[in-house]
Amino acid sequence: MSMGILPQAQIELVRRNALGETLVYRINSRFKIVLRRDEASTIIVETP
Amino acid sequence: MITSTPVARKLIIMAGNPNSGKSTLFNLLTGLNQKVGNYPGVTVDKKTGSIELGFHKEVTLLDLPGAYSMYPSSKDERIVVRQFLASDPRPDLILYVADLSQLEKQILLLTQIIDLGFPVILALNMADMAGITIQTQYLEEHLKIPVVLISGKTGMGIAALKIQIASMLGNGVEVNEPYYRYSEQEKKLTDHFKNIITSPTDYGRLLTLHHGAWLDNIPAAIRKEIKEKSEKEGFNPIQAQIHETMSRYDRFTPVIKKALHLDAGGAGAKITDRIDRWVMHPLLGSIIFFLIMLLIFQAIFAWATWPMDFIEYGMGELSLGIRQVFPSGWIVDLLCDGVLAGLTGILVFIPQIAILFLFIGILEEIGYMARAVSMFDMMMRKVGLNGRSIVALVSGGACAIPAIMSTRNISNWKERLITIMVTPFISCSARIPVYGILIGFAVPRGRWFGFEQQGLALMGLYGIGIVAALVAAYILKKILRSEDRSFLMMELPVYRSPVVKNLFYLVVEKTKAFVVGAGKIIIIISLVLWFLASFGPGQKEVSRNESRIETSGPIRPALENSYAGILGKWIEPAIAPLGFDWKMGIALICSFAAREVFVGTMATIYSIEDDSDVASIRTSMSKDRHAETGELVYDQATTWSLLIFYAFAMQCMSTLAIVKRETKSWKWPIIQFIMMTGLAYIGSWLVYQWLS
């Protein structure tokens, strides 16, 4: 949340790194973050 | 409320999110008037500097680590919280730096700092970027603080910022109403602790309630009361944090949307996407990374060689000059062979350190390093390392010292410690002269499937260094316990051209840190080694022509009878199972100063005129035979045993000094020494027993 990823945020998976263990997301079309897959899997995302 | 500080020296604290351009602004404001220390208990750089602002001659600027909010998820962020909640020193002004292109998510921390009752200036960085329009008056009206547009890259707005700072320091500032509207529960709790927690603001008390478990200087009784009262009131810190964060965002998001216009794909976003398609490609990305590292590696070798030679030559000439001017004696020997030799051992590493950090700085500044870290994170994590460890491991191929210094940006202590512990396994440039001599005995010239055999042997030695580093990391991962959670949540900044001034300050800062930090220890160890090689029991100092390790001369009974020689003989029974004799023992002991000393020591023992003439040393060594058996001393078994020993053993006092500095303890360099040298001994023994 501190990084500005709040409810209603638009999250787009941009890239999977080798073996898909790290994932790159674009948040609200403004900035990109990297997450490990096991950390990303704890985040609940509702698809429109 | 009017704030003022009775002390003469004013303190300004710089805060902001990571990648907001804080360091660039810090460099612009302070120039070379800056120093780097550590925060107590942690190895996070504490950068302070002085700035001149008209009649306020004495202004200190403190650059805090980047943080996203007052709810920390890393050690760096905890430092920020501690600093703001500390009652002493209380800053006179906060200079908050935000990146205009990412403004929306950088205002959260700002509003939290405002609520702590500090006067704040908002410096909006990167105002020169195309595709951004900002109406600062909306922000000023909403936040009730001055807003200044700046560009750390071009220097735009810096003069206006200085005027604003001077004005606020001179006039005192009226501090605003709290930005955050507290819940009933939060009000009740902060009121309850009003006379118990010594914080001048409600928000300071609220944060103390949240972080009471780890904040310093909170008496146990108050810590207990915080816990009990919070539980009694049903205070849920996570829910409260979410409520507070959402509430703040709800207030400032509409204002930011009104004030800021960002073109789609502007501020470098479009070009960043294009570059990332190549740079972060699963296959191409790795190839690009290794090509970049190869370039750095080559540059370190190619560019550092002549300044290193110059430093060695200059110090050699200085030593010679001293000997010509002053009468010979132990004082001159101490000065030349102890102090100057130690100084040379420090200064000679400066070119490599400077070049490596120049490249690391460029990669950080342009935004590439974050990509490299994310690409190798998975691979590194499997053996207990971190994505950022790849930089240290590759840099270790040039020199372990700057490589270990580069681990400071690994926030997880366990991962950082493991990186520090295993990096010296990677074969550094100092091993090359040793490999250069010994491979000649072990591997005949010739080709094997079209490849030069000696080149393959050299590659093999580098290979076993890498394997040793990864295996040791895996073992340490299993042994070491840490409460720190390892996670990767990292922002990928847009690509930007580097700021030359920043690179300059980074190189100066890192070089200074090495010379001052490790230098003292290196000098002391040099003096000890000089003593060991120059004196023997019950005798006066051995004459200079006989004793100096660097000087040519006949096989010297003096060196044999010096403490170093005696130690060589003393350890002979211990090293005999590895195939080493007492002469190698002397070389091993002297090599604990630095591996490359092996060549000089061998030159001394084998009476070589010039110790840089590797071919002459090799010829002399290759003819050496055991007195009793008449067999060659440097046969396959002994040579490979010696090579394995040099590949694994911790033989660099500069590295040990820097490990001590970075871990703030002698414990880890001692463990590292035992681990590496123990493995070297076992490895050498196995190789010798197998081949002999």
Side-chain angles (χ1 to χ4, degrees):
Chain A
M1 288 185 82
S2 299
M3 291 179 85
I5 308 165
L6 305 171
Q8 311 294 321
Q10 289 178 7
I11 301 175
E12 179 194 350
L13 176 63
V14 187
R15 192 171 301 282
R16 288 169 199 269
N17 285 349
L19 306 177
E21 284 293 322
T22 48
L23 308 161
V24 181
Y25 295 98
R26 194 195 313 275
I27 312 294
N28 291 334
S29 309
R30 293 295 270 275
F31 63 97
K32 288 193 243 182
I33 61 161
V34 180
L35 281 178
R36 287 177 183 160
R37 191 172 61 177
D38 46 1
E39 282 146 13
S41 64
T42 64
I43 300 169
I44 300 163
V45 180
E46 281 179 21
T47 49
Chain B
M1 182 168 53
I2 304 291
T3 59
S4 65
T5 308
V7 290
R9 195 168 184 96
K10 301 276 186 182
L11 173 66
I12 304 173
I13 287 183
M14 283 181 73
N17 282 196
N19 300 314
S20 59
K22 249 173 355 82
S23 299
T24 309
L25 181 58
F26 179 80
N27 288 334
L28 272 175
L29 290 172
T30 60
L32 278 172
N33 297 320
Q34 48 180 271
K35 59 178 184 181
V36 183
N38 283 319
Y39 288 95
V42 285
T43 336
V44 175
D45 285 347
K46 181 180 185 178
K47 288 174 80 175
T48 52
S50 295
I51 48 173
E52 285 199 12
L53 297 163
F55 61 90
H56 294 289
K57 294 285 185 195
E58 300 287 308
V59 179
T60 299
L61 191 62
L62 168 63
D63 183 18
L64 285 181
Y68 289 103
S69 88
M70 285 290 176
Y71 295 95
S73 57
S74 69
K75 273 185 183 166
D76 285 14
E77 288 190 318
R78 281 192 174 192
I79 285 166
V80 174
V81 175
R82 276 196 186 100
Q83 185 73 48
F84 279 113
L85 294 183
S87 52
D88 184 44
R90 193 163 167 83
D92 298 274
L93 182 68
I94 308 299
L95 178 54
Y96 190 87
V97 187
D99 172 2
L100 256 179
S101 65
Q102 305 292 337
L103 189 57
E104 201 172 303
K105 66 186 177 66
Q106 305 208 0
I107 298 297
L108 174 68
L109 178 63
L110 171 67
T111 63
Q112 291 172 326
I113 292 170
I114 289 172
D115 283 355
L116 286 169
F118 297 109
V120 184
I121 296 176
L122 171 59
L124 291 178
N125 193 18
M126 301 175 202
D128 59 321
M129 285 195 90
I132 303 177
T133 319
I134 179 81
Q135 292 175 291
T136 51
Q137 74 273 19
Y138 285 130
L139 288 177
E140 286 185 333
E141 284 165 15
H142 178 74
L143 297 166
K144 298 184 177 64
I145 57 168
V147 177
V148 183
L149 288 175
I150 61 156
S151 167
K153 196 172 164 188
T154 64
M156 182 200 108
I158 301 301
L161 179 65
K162 281 186 173 179
I163 292 167
Q164 186 66 54
I165 292 171
S167 159
M168 288 178 78
L169 286 178
N171 302 330
V173 179
E174 196 166 322
V175 176
N176 302 311
E177 288 296 304
Y179 189 87
Y180 171 55
R181 287 149 193 172
Y182 300 96
S183 68
E184 283 304 315
Q185 188 188 47
E186 287 168 334
K187 263 186 203 158
K188 198 174 171 184
L189 278 168
T190 51
D191 284 348
H192 174 82
F193 284 99
K194 203 157 202 161
N195 298 318
I196 301 168
I197 298 172
T198 54
S199 173
T201 61
D202 286 343
Y203 192 57
R205 284 189 290 281
L206 181 64
L207 287 177
T208 309
L209 294 178
H210 276 277
H211 309 314
W214 57 264
L215 276 174
D216 315 311
N217 304 326
I218 296 185
I222 296 179
R223 214 184 288 274
K224 191 175 168 219
E225 190 174 345
I226 289 174
K227 192 169 180 282
E228 285 172 359
K229 185 71 180 166
S230 300
E231 281 171 5
K232 192 179 167 193
E233 294 293 330
F235 179 67
N236 182 330
I238 301 289
Q239 284 300 326
Q241 181 192 341
I242 292 170
H243 173 264
E244 182 197 321
T245 306
M246 294 296 292
S247 163
R248 288 180 189 273
Y249 266 98
D250 285 347
R251 277 199 74 187
F252 64 70
T253 302
V255 180
I256 305 293
K257 280 190 174 153
K258 193 175 168 189
L260 179 72
H261 175 76
L262 199 62
D263 290 349
K270 198 183 269 179
I271 188 91
T272 295
D273 280 348
R274 281 189 197 153
I275 297 171
D276 273 348
R277 253 177 246 152
W278 294 88
V279 162
M280 296 195 74
H281 186 276
L283 179 66
L284 275 176
S286 305
I287 294 170
I288 290 170
F289 174 81
F290 281 105
L291 285 176
I292 291 171
M293 287 300 142
L294 191 68
L295 171 78
I296 296 174
F297 202 45
Q298 290 297 313
I300 289 172
F301 273 111
W303 300 352
T305 305
W306 70 263
M308 286 171 87
D309 289 347
F310 177 76
I311 290 167
E312 282 185 316
Y313 173 78
M315 296 301 278
E317 288 297 301
L318 181 64
S319 177
L320 212 63
I322 290 171
R323 287 192 184 284
Q324 280 169 355
V325 172
F326 297 101
S328 60
W330 72 269
I331 295 177
V332 170
D333 285 351
L334 171 69
L335 188 66
C336 295
D337 300 338
V339 177
L340 283 184
L343 264 178
T344 309
I346 300 161
L347 299 177
V348 80
F349 284 113
I350 288 177
Q352 287 190 336
I353 289 173
I355 292 169
L356 181 64
F357 277 102
L358 174 70
F359 277 102
I360 288 179
I362 292 171
L363 296 180
E364 287 273 11
E365 284 258 319
I366 64 172
Y368 177 77
M369 205 57 98
R371 271 88 184 165
V373 168
S374 72
M375 282 191 291
F376 292 97
D377 181 72
M378 189 267 299
M379 195 175 90
M380 294 284 112
R381 201 157 50 107
K382 290 226 183 297
V383 291
L385 300 169
N386 182 290
R388 287 187 180 273
S389 307
I390 190 80
V391 180
L393 293 182
V394 174
S395 309
C399 177
I401 294 155
I404 286 168
M405 288 164 72
S406 75
T407 61
R408 283 195 164 203
N409 53 15
I410 301 173
S411 59
N412 182 290
W413 169 241
K414 182 178 166 182
E415 290 171 344
R416 178 165 177 244
L417 181 63
I418 295 176
T419 310
I420 289 172
M421 296 293 278
V422 305
T423 294
F425 273 121
I426 305 294
S427 283
C428 63
S429 56
R431 285 172 171 109
I432 291 175
V434 184
Y435 291 165
I437 289 180
L438 295 176
I439 285 176
F441 305 142
V443 184
R445 282 192 169 276
R447 292 192 173 268
W448 188 73
F449 288 106
F451 293 100
E452 176 57 54
Q453 286 180 161
Q454 293 187 345
L456 288 174
L458 183 65
M459 206 171 90
L461 286 164
Y462 271 87
I464 59 167
I466 295 166
V467 171
L470 297 179
V471 171
Y474 185 75
I475 294 167
L476 287 168
K477 176 192 171 189
K478 296 286 174 195
I479 294 171
L480 293 174
R481 290 279 166 263
S482 169
E483 288 177 6
D484 283 2
R485 196 170 61 90
S486 171
F487 70 97
L488 182 79
M489 183 166 181
M490 193 175 57
E491 199 177 331
L492 293 181
V494 293
Y495 289 106
R496 293 197 175 101
S497 55
V499 179
V500 177
K501 269 188 180 175
N502 273 357
L503 296 173
F504 172 73
Y505 291 128
L506 176 88
V507 169
V508 170
E509 177 205 311
K510 295 292 178 190
T511 309
K512 219 164 89 180
F514 166 70
V515 172
V516 176
K520 287 176 259 178
I521 302 166
I522 295 171
I523 287 277
I524 292 167
I525 301 175
S526 291
L527 292 177
V528 171
L529 279 172
W530 168 79
F531 177 80
L532 291 176
S534 303
F535 291 89
Q539 68 178 106
K540 291 176 188 167
E541 184 209 5
V542 179
S543 74
R544 185 177 72 81
N545 288 334
E546 290 178 86
S547 69
R548 283 179 66 223
I549 283 169
E550 298 90 342
T551 314
S552 60
I555 293 182
R556 295 163 303 170
L559 181 61
E560 192 178 342
N561 295 327
S562 71
Y563 286 115
I566 290 165
L567 271 172
K569 294 225 169 195
W570 184 67
I571 65 164
E572 197 173 16
I575 57 176
L578 315 183
F580 304 163
D581 61 12
W582 71 270
K583 284 180 274 187
M584 292 176 209
I586 295 179
L588 289 185
I589 289 167
C590 294
S591 293
F592 280 104
R595 294 174 179 96
E596 62 270 33
V597 171
F598 175 84
V599 181
T601 311
M602 282 301 170
T604 308
I605 294 169
Y606 286 96
S607 317
I608 309 297
E609 289 298 324
D610 175 6
D611 68 19
S612 65
D613 187 352
V614 171
S616 309
I617 300 167
R618 192 181 292 148
T619 308
S620 300
M621 288 167 71
S622 67
K623 289 175 185 167
D624 194 17
R625 289 180 181 275
H626 287 291
E628 301 89 28
T629 60
E631 288 177 6
L632 285 172
V633 171
Y634 291 94
D635 58 7
Q636 285 273 326
T638 300
T639 309
W640 273 112
S641 172
L642 208 51
L643 277 167
I644 294 295
F645 193 89
Y646 272 85
F648 290 150
M650 166 46 83
Q651 293 170 296
C652 179
M653 62 178 180
S654 310
T655 304
L656 289 171
I658 211 75
V659 171
K660 190 259 168 189
R661 181 176 173 271
E662 293 298 308
T663 59
K664 292 180 171 297
S665 155
W666 276 110
K667 178 182 156 188
W668 295 111
I670 289 169
I671 291 173
Q672 187 177 46
F673 179 83
I674 294 168
M675 173 181 81
M676 292 184 68
T677 312
L679 178 66
Y681 190 92
I682 295 167
S684 291
W685 181 78
L686 286 172
V687 165
Y688 184 72
Q689 298 304 322
W690 175 41
L691 293 177
S692 63

